[in-house]
Structure formats: structure tokens, C-alpha cells
Amino acid sequence: MTTKAKIGLALGGGAILGAAHIGVLKAFDEEKISVSAISGTSIGAFVAALYAFGVSPEKIEKIALELDWLDISGFAFSRLGLLSNEKMGKKIDEVLGEVQFKDARIPLSIISTDIGRFEKVVLETGDVARAVMSSACVPGIFIPVEIDDHLLVDGGLMENVPISPLIRRGMDKIIGVDLNAGRKYKNPDDLIDVVLNSIDIAIDNATRMQTRKADLLIAPELSAYNRADSDRVQDLIHEGYTAARRMISKELRTMAGVAG
């Protein structure tokens, strides 16, 4: 009798490109591949948090399609950032309630970066909404989020596809979803594009090294999509679904205890 493997899923950062994660989750559910632990960085943290607390991919899709992505941020008067992403935290609370990590159905890890010490912070306790806010806090755009004695910004600076927490949790099979793998960059359209391009290019080499530790890497081809264009969310979901279905192998089904 085959022992069912513990499968860990790491969802990477990439702004609105993160809608592709929903398609990946839809493919997993369709194949009845259960996840024993999940981790997320930036927009991956947002999707991972919802899924960890039992929100179905279909409901996450509905949230993404109805969400005005510009409404999860607002102008702020601070010397540390132009915008606040407090509204993102409120959206998490609206969907899940004011939940703590310990209440998750699937063990959840979220990656952020301590901008003062410039070190990785793995969040696995405390308030989930604030953890998601910190991980999705693009430096220079959003005000850093304070948690305990840390001043936190986007976790992608340290680990954009968060494989390491899943290794530490002892997963048998680790699957990463990299939204930027093979991405072809183009001239930026605005200030946000300039910042995001700069961050992405800076972390690409590190991400390639880190994702070598994954057993399987799902990398949707998203070069044609703008990370700030919320009009193509449905297309991004389809890209994620297609990429995941292409990568789900007989070996993975066997390890997950799924026939076929």
C-alpha cells in the first residue's frame, strides 16, 4: 500500500499576476491533490491565507473577479511610503474574520522582509491579516508594517517563492509556483512598473537558486500580462490552471494517493 505523501505548496509573489495561483489551486482540487502545508509571499500570501482557512478556489476566484484591486490600497501621509495597504488587511478580515495562524486548516507560513535589519522573517503565529499586509508591502510604495519589533516589507526581497518553510515542516514533495520565471521585461509604463521591474530583476537570480530545492516548479508564461492590469484576472486564472494541469504528473498523483 502506497503511503500518502505530505505535499507542500509555495505560492510566489507577482502583484496581480497572482490571480494565476487561483488556477493552480483549481487544478489541484480537480485532481484531488491535498496540500499538507502552504506558504506564500506577497500576493501569494493573500491567496495562500484564504486557501489555508478553507476558502475554495471557486470562492477565491469570485473574490478576485469582484475585487477592485486599487481599492486594497489608499493614500497615506508618511515619510516611509506613498500608500497604505490597510484595506488589504480589512479584506482578509472581511472574508475570514480576525483569524490567527493557529486556527488555519492547513499549516500556513508567510514570508516578509525586515527592512531595518534586512533579514527574512517567517510569520507563522499571530494575526494573519497583518502578516499578509507585511508580505505584500512593496517598499517605496507602501508603508512598512510593524509586527512585534520588526518593520516589514515585501517578502519577495528575501524569498519570492517560499520553499524553505515547507522544507522545515518536513514535506515529502514541495511544489513551487513562480509567476516570474522566464518573464520577458518591457519598458515600464509608470512609477509602479519602474519599482516592480527593479525589484523583480534584483530577486530573479536568488529565486532561481531557491526554487532548485522544489520537487516541481509550476511556471505559467505570463510575460504578456501587466502586473497592475486587473482587467485580465480571468485570463490569468486560466494561465495558472493550464500550467498546473500540464505539470501534474502520474508521480505526483501517486504520491498524493490519487488514482489515475
Side-chain angles (χ1 to χ4, degrees):
M1 182 176 177
T2 302
T3 303
K4 186 176 179 180
K6 294 185 295 183
I7 293 176
L9 180 63
L11 304 183
I16 289 172
L17 300 181
H21 290 318
I22 302 168
V24 172
L25 295 177
K26 290 179 75 173
F28 272 50
D29 272 20
E30 194 172 277
E31 290 284 344
K32 296 183 171 55
I33 295 172
S34 61
V35 174
S36 297
I38 192 167
S39 60
T41 296
S42 195
I43 190 60
F46 181 83
V47 177
L50 295 180
Y51 194 68
F53 279 84
V55 182
S56 70
E58 289 73 25
K59 186 171 180 182
I60 300 174
E61 178 178 17
K62 187 172 185 292
I63 291 167
L65 291 171
E66 292 177 351
L67 186 67
D68 184 340
W69 292 74
L70 295 178
D71 279 350
I72 60 175
S73 64
F75 285 107
F77 298 97
S78 170
R79 59 191 176 84
L80 297 179
L82 302 174
L83 304 173
S84 165
N85 65 357
E86 285 282 346
K87 291 182 180 179
M88 173 179 278
K90 290 178 180 177
K91 186 64 181 179
I92 294 282
D93 286 342
E94 177 188 321
V95 176
L96 301 179
E98 296 181 9
V99 294
Q100 303 285 305
F101 278 86
K102 63 182 177 62
D103 302 317
R105 296 186 187 183
I106 302 171
L108 170 67
S109 305
I110 289 176
I111 301 290
S112 295
T113 300
D114 185 316
I115 195 62
R117 302 182 181 98
F118 203 63
E119 64 185 19
K120 180 171 69 177
V121 176
V122 182
L123 298 167
E124 297 175 335
T125 60
D127 183 78
V128 171
R130 286 193 65 76
V132 172
M133 285 169 54
S134 72
S135 186
C137 186
V138 180
I141 300 295
F142 292 111
I143 300 171
V145 175
E146 287 189 63
I147 297 179
D148 298 329
D149 63 339
H150 299 287
L151 194 62
L152 300 176
V153 297
D154 197 319
L157 296 172
M158 287 294 167
E159 192 172 7
N160 199 44
V161 181
I163 305 295
S164 65
L166 303 177
I167 294 174
R168 183 174 47 77
R169 288 190 186 273
M171 295 296 103
D172 299 312
K173 189 87 167 179
I174 297 175
I175 303 166
V177 184
D178 189 348
L179 304 175
N180 294 311
R183 182 171 179 81
K184 301 175 179 66
Y185 293 93
K186 60 181 182 178
N187 288 337
D189 295 324
D190 50 36
L191 173 61
I192 292 177
D193 265 359
V194 170
V195 174
L196 292 178
N197 270 11
S198 300
I199 292 171
D200 281 354
I201 291 167
I203 66 178
D204 269 353
N205 285 336
T207 300
R208 281 194 290 272
M209 292 289 291
Q210 291 159 356
T211 53
R212 289 178 185 174
K213 297 178 181 179
D215 297 287
L216 178 68
L217 187 66
I218 298 171
E221 175 46 66
L222 304 178
S223 294
Y225 296 88
N226 187 308
R227 287 157 302 188
D229 184 1
S230 59
D231 293 333
R232 302 189 68 187
V233 167
Q234 189 72 72
D235 293 334
L236 287 163
I237 293 171
H238 178 72
E239 295 281 5
Y241 175 82
T242 301
R245 288 307 303 259
R246 187 166 57 244
M247 295 298 292
I248 292 173
S249 62
K250 182 178 180 181
E251 178 192 4
L252 178 57
R253 292 189 186 95
T254 301
M255 290 193 72
V258 177

